[in-house]
């Protein structure tokens, strides 16, 4: 089988043997791919740079054969360590949370070039000091749109009536988006969305200049929806939300 070259970000890794690991990458052209990195645990491995979680590089690999789930990593050239993430707990674990979302909500070998570019940019933004809640909100919204599960933020998901950003709305994961005042009365599962939060969900580019508590509230709503879709709350999601809650209270 022909080897493939791609730009990729490490989103997960587990030890496989005394000298090797199974590493999951998210590639710009290849999507999510799991590979055996033979010898990667040795002090002087055969790869050009350490393969750590949230590192980016150029890879050459042989994809899994028919009936197999893991391919073979043959070359790795480290290009970006995102070292700036290591200086603050929320930035580091925020990056790990984004990687965890990509791993949970994408399929093997299913390319999402826009999502790769957004992940790379989000990690850059986090290490450059942009507000973590702003970066997370923007990425979560992009992720949901890319996988085809983006909620409706402009119109009621039941009757189609426009829901203006200047007023309150109601969000229901079961309904797949916003509910207007008339439709929300019959919804069993719903959450009130304040005007400032609704504006951010309709236009996340405004988050950089928005009140911190409103941005965190918008993130929490998307986080809740992602948890609903996944059927569980991952440990990293729970920890990041705890850190953001502490930041919100400490303002």
């Amino acid at each position: 089988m022909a080897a493939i070259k791609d730009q990729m970000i490490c989103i997960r890794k587990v030890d496989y043997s005394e000298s090797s690991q199974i590493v999951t990458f998210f590639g710009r052209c290849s999507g999510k791919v799991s590979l055996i990195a033979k010898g990667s645990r040795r002090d002087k491995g055969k790869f050009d740079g350490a393969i750590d979680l949230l590192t980016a590089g150029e890879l050459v690999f042989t994809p899994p054969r028919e009936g197999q789930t893991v391919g073979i990593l043959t070359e790795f050239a480290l290009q970006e360590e995102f070292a700036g993430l290591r200086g603050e707990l929320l930035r580091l674990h925020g990056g790990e949370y984004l990687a965890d979302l990509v791993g949970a909500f994408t399929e093997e070998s299913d390319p999402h070039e826009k999502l790769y570019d957004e992940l790379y940019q989000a990690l850059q933004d986090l290490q450059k000091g942009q507000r973590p809640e702003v970066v997370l909100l923007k990425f979560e919204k992009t992720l949901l749109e890319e996988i085809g599960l983006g909620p409706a933020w402009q119109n009621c998901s039941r009757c189609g009536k426009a829901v203006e950003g200047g007023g309150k709305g109601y969000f229901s994961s079961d309904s797949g988006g916003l509910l207007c005042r008339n439709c929300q009365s019959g919804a069993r599962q719903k959450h009130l969305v304040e005007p400032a939060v609704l504006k951010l969900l309709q236009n996340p580019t405004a988050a950089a200049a928005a009140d911190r508590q409103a941005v965190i509230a918008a993130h929490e709503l998307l986080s809740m929806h992602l948890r609903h879709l996944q059927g569980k709350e991952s440990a990293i999601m729970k920890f990041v939300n705890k850190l953001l809650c502490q930041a919100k209270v400490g303002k």
Side-chain angles (χ1 to χ4, degrees), residues 10 13 21 23 25 37 40 47 49-53 55 73 76 78:
C10 175
K13 67 173 188 173
Q21 298 170 309
V23 186
F25 293 95
S40 61
F47 300 112
I51 306 173
D52 290 321
L53 184 63
T55 55
L73 178 64
F76 174 79
L78 179 66

Side-chain angles (χ1 to χ4, degrees), residues 89 156 180 236-237:
L89 198 62
C156 175
C180 66
I236 189 64
M237 176 187 285

Side-chain angles (χ1 to χ4, degrees), residues 4 18 20 30 34 47 50 90 97-98 106 166 175 178 184 210-211:
I4 297 173
E18 291 185 1
S20 303
S30 307
S34 294
F47 300 112
L90 182 52
Y97 166 64
L98 299 185
T106 61
S175 299
L178 288 177
Q184 63 83 23
D211 175 76

Side-chain angles (χ1 to χ4, degrees), residues 119-131:
L119 177 60
Y120 191 94
Q121 187 60 53
L123 296 175
Q124 288 281 16
D125 291 343
L126 283 172
Q127 78 164 347
K128 289 177 181 178
Q130 289 198 25
R131 291 161 54 190

Side-chain angles (χ1 to χ4, degrees), residues 75-229:
E75 296 180 29
F76 174 79
L78 179 66
Q79 295 177 328
E80 177 60 76
E81 294 181 285
F82 300 108
L85 297 176
R86 276 72 181 174
E88 184 180 322
L89 198 62
L90 182 52
R91 298 188 188 283
L92 175 60
H93 292 294
E96 293 174 350
Y97 166 64
L98 299 185
D100 183 73
L101 288 180
V102 170
F105 286 96
T106 61
E107 300 294 332
E108 293 283 336
S109 303
D110 182 19
H112 289 276
E113 290 188 14
K114 181 179 178 181
L115 189 58
Y116 174 88
D117 292 341
E118 286 288 337
L119 177 60
Y120 191 94
Q121 187 60 53
L123 296 175
Q124 288 281 16
D125 291 343
L126 283 172
Q127 78 164 347
K128 289 177 181 178
Q130 289 198 25
R131 291 161 54 190
E133 66 273 13
V134 172
V135 178
L136 268 55
L137 174 63
K138 180 183 177 185
F139 184 82
E140 288 164 334
K141 192 166 187 296
T142 299
L143 171 71
L144 286 165
E145 291 170 352
E146 276 292 298
I147 63 175
L149 295 174
W153 298 115
Q154 304 294 339
N155 300 84
C156 175
S157 57
R158 287 190 176 177
C159 70
K161 179 182 177 181
V163 181
E164 301 296 334
K168 294 180 179 179
Y170 297 84
F171 177 78
S172 170
S173 287
D174 287 341
S175 299
L178 288 177
L179 297 173
C180 66
R181 292 184 180 181
N182 293 332
C183 293
Q184 63 83 23
S185 60
R188 183 172 57 181
Q189 184 260 354
K190 61 187 176 183
H191 298 270
L192 180 65
V193 185
E194 296 292 341
V197 176
L198 180 53
K199 285 183 178 179
L200 291 174
L201 292 168
Q202 292 176 338
N203 180 26
T205 58
D211 175 76
R212 187 177 200 181
Q213 295 196 30
V215 180
I216 292 177
H219 151 76
E220 288 174 340
L221 192 65
L222 290 187
S223 175
M224 176 202 69
H225 183 54
L226 287 161
R227 184 168 63 247
H228 175 86
L229 292 173

